Amino acid sequence: MTKFLLTTLLFYCTFINAQISFEKGYFISNDGKRTECFIKNLDWKNNPTDFRYKIHITDNDSKTETIANVQEFGIDNNTAFKRAKVKMDRSSDNFETISQTGKPVWEENTLFLKILVQGEAKLYSFREDNLIRYFYETPKIPLEQLVHLKYIESKDGMSTGNLQENNYYKQQLNNNVRASNTSDRDIESLQYKKPQLVKYFIKYNNIDANTENNDELKTRNGKLHLKITPQVSLISMTMNDGDVPSKDVDLDNKTNFKIGAELEYVMPFNKNKWSLFINPAYQKYENNITYSRPGTFAGSPEKVRYVEIKYSSVQLPIGLRHYFFLNNNSKIFINAAYSLEINGKASISFDNNLEQESNTDSNFAFGVGYNFKDKFSIEIRANSKKELLSDYDSFSAKYGAIDFVFGYTFF
């Protein structure tokens, strides 16, 4: 299994380097010069302060440009960022540091703002970890933040402990970005979230939401997939007892079948290359072997022994997955998971004597697989060896498995 893990690691590194990450784009320098190039598309979760580019896709080396030298850059039909010097409120939603006044605390920053909607009224966003802010501008209103923050209500100078929200962004939109067919209810119900704000600005600008030249109009959200995952396991088992060496034995490898289901959440950044998954599967394993050991004394006849093992559990791998896109229909993925044991029980008996029962340990799992059309998948998953007799100090039963996981996605 060590060889498999090393192969998986090498495969991962090879594919990281092989990914086509530079895409056709442009940047505009401080002097207004527009440069057509190929930009490394990281599908940034946080707004960047620099980017890498090549003039020709075949160039061996890339160059870096920073926010100090570039006023705008973008990737064709995908993402664009505009440099702006803005006042931004960084109030936290953390209860320990949350605002006590409900008033913005302005800081002046030079940022690359992500362009969400173009038109008469423009919408921008900024993200830095858990800090998310939206900005807008119109022909009459210079670029400014849409104000929204949470705060603890105070009365007579004393905190009431009640959580309130400053939703001044609704007043800003009512005053400056309101179409004739927009109702008070439309604005009152508007949440400070990207999908709702993008939809509002699209409506105001009278833009076709299906237009192909602004990917942000088709706002990207996380995706949730439910799969059925039947599995075939190749199992190895090694048992030993430091006190009684005659009990040491390797059982024959065995093929076993498991049935499982997987819930996967594809995260809405980095071009949907990352996901979290949970893959519960029920398994039941039984095996036995008859073997011989030397007698107690020289010349004594060999002693024939019989061992039987039974093990059942619900395995619960919880892990992280990364996709490598080959084309629109195919992608390869790797994942790593920590596999919990739910109600894992094992019992071992020697020579038909009383069974020794124990709880079982959890383990790690590493896999590589192929996905077709987000519908069918196959994965080879190597599991680190787990201890089945964790309740015993000297006696050990090491269980190892390589799983072949087949997946069918319902949605």
Side-chain angles (χ1 to χ4, degrees):
M1 188 173 68
T2 301
K3 291 182 178 179
F4 178 85
L5 297 179
L6 290 173
T7 302
T8 301
L9 181 60
L10 290 172
F11 177 87
Y12 172 78
C13 295
T14 300
F15 250 88
I16 283 287
N17 292 326
Q19 288 290 289
I20 301 175
S21 54
F22 286 86
E23 300 180 14
K24 186 172 175 55
Y26 71 94
F27 65 88
I28 300 175
S29 305
N30 288 340
D31 58 5
K33 179 183 176 182
R34 181 184 175 104
T35 300
E36 301 293 332
C37 61
F38 294 87
I39 294 176
K40 186 169 186 179
N41 186 358
L42 300 179
D43 198 25
W44 297 267
K45 178 181 178 181
N46 293 331
N47 288 40
T49 56
D50 57 35
F51 60 91
R52 292 171 60 190
Y53 74 96
K54 297 179 179 180
I55 296 299
H56 304 288
I57 192 63
T58 55
D59 292 347
N60 291 326
D61 298 322
S62 62
K63 300 178 181 179
T64 299
E65 273 295 358
T66 70
I67 194 171
N69 303 319
V70 173
Q71 54 181 293
E72 182 178 319
F73 78 93
I75 296 172
D76 291 3
N77 301 320
N78 195 312
T79 303
F81 292 90
K82 174 183 176 180
R83 187 183 66 192
K85 192 172 185 178
V86 294
K87 292 181 179 179
M88 183 173 68
D89 169 56
R90 290 180 174 267
S91 299
S92 172
D93 288 347
N94 188 308
F95 195 80
E96 296 179 355
T97 57
I98 197 170
S99 172
Q100 301 294 319
T101 66
K103 297 179 180 179
V105 178
W106 299 114
E107 296 180 13
E108 193 167 73
N109 297 268
T110 298
L111 309 169
F112 271 139
L113 298 180
K114 189 174 186 178
I115 302 173
L116 299 182
V117 178
Q118 295 273 27
E120 182 178 346
K122 298 179 175 62
L123 177 67
Y124 307 89
S125 70
F126 177 82
R127 178 167 186 164
E128 186 178 87
D129 297 326
N130 293 326
L131 176 70
I132 301 175
R133 295 291 184 264
Y134 297 99
F135 297 80
Y136 80 109
E137 67 176 334
T138 72
K140 296 182 179 180
I141 304 297
L143 199 153
E144 66 178 14
Q145 181 189 320
L146 288 167
V147 177
H148 171 262
L149 67 134
K150 297 179 181 179
Y151 65 97
I152 301 297
E153 182 184 46
S154 296
K155 188 174 183 180
D156 299 328
M158 300 291 292
S159 173
T160 65
N162 295 326
L163 185 64
Q164 301 291 339
E165 292 187 24
N166 178 345
N167 291 320
Y168 183 64
Y169 71 94
K170 296 180 181 180
Q171 187 64 55
Q172 291 171 283
L173 296 177
N174 180 70
N175 293 344
N176 306 314
V177 188
R178 178 164 179 166
S180 58
N181 59 347
T182 300
S183 67
D184 289 348
R185 184 176 179 180
D186 291 337
I187 296 179
E188 280 299 319
S189 62
L190 187 62
Q191 298 182 55
Y192 197 78
K193 295 182 178 179
K194 186 172 80 169
Q196 288 83 354
L197 290 172
V198 166
K199 185 176 180 181
Y200 183 89
F201 274 76
I202 287 173
K203 180 180 177 182
Y204 177 84
N205 289 316
N206 195 27
I207 296 174
D208 179 4
N210 294 317
T211 183
E212 296 182 357
N213 60 6
N214 194 333
D215 186 63
E216 287 299 334
L217 302 182
K218 301 174 260 183
T219 57
R220 291 170 292 175
N221 296 305
K223 300 175 184 178
L224 196 64
H225 295 311
L226 177 64
K227 308 175 185 178
I228 185 172
T229 55
Q231 304 175 28
V232 177
S233 297
L234 303 180
I235 301 169
S236 62
M237 172 68 69
T238 301
M239 295 184 294
N240 63 78
D241 188 334
D243 297 331
V244 187
S246 65
K247 292 184 179 180
D248 294 358
V249 62
D250 293 338
L251 276 72
D252 293 336
N253 293 342
K254 189 172 182 178
T255 301
N256 212 13
F257 297 92
K258 296 189 288 187
I259 185 65
E262 181 182 284
L263 191 65
E264 179 187 27
Y265 176 68
V266 181
M267 291 180 279
F269 57 84
N270 198 224
K271 303 188 76 176
N272 300 124
K273 291 181 179 180
W274 292 95
S275 72
L276 299 171
F277 69 92
I278 182 169
N279 182 205
Y282 175 76
Q283 67 170 7
K284 186 175 182 180
Y285 168 80
E286 296 183 2
N287 205 352
N288 60 75
I289 189 172
T290 300
Y291 61 102
S292 299
R293 285 291 182 264
T296 306
F297 304 103
S300 299
E302 289 189 337
K303 186 174 183 179
V304 177
R305 307 213 65 177
Y306 173 80
V307 63
E308 183 178 21
I309 181 167
K310 299 177 183 178
Y311 163 55
S312 65
S313 75
V314 174
Q315 291 182 315
L316 190 65
I318 301 173
L320 180 68
R321 179 172 292 149
H322 184 68
Y323 286 101
F324 304 94
F325 294 92
L326 303 178
N327 52 51
N328 290 335
N329 293 325
S330 298
K331 51 190 174 183
I332 290 174
F333 62 87
I334 62 171
N335 48 236
Y338 184 68
S339 185
L340 298 170
E341 288 279 284
I342 306 299
N343 199 31
K345 296 291 183 182
S347 64
I348 293 180
S349 67
F350 282 93
D351 304 325
N352 294 313
N353 290 324
L354 183 67
E355 292 183 345
Q356 302 179 72
E357 296 186 348
S358 175
N359 294 308
T360 58
D361 283 344
S362 300
N363 66 297
F364 291 95
F366 306 89
V368 57
Y370 171 76
N371 182 292
F372 181 66
K373 290 187 174 180
D374 283 330
K375 201 69 177 177
F376 305 96
S377 64
I378 183 170
E379 175 191 345
I380 303 175
R381 184 181 297 172
N383 297 270
S384 63
K385 288 192 173 182
K386 72 175 71 175
E387 178 59 65
L388 297 189
L389 298 181
S390 58
D391 294 342
Y392 292 83
D393 294 329
S394 60
F395 200 84
S396 175
K398 296 292 187 181
Y399 176 96
I402 293 180
D403 300 328
F404 294 85
V405 184
F406 304 91
Y408 177 80
T409 304
F410 292 105
F411 62 80

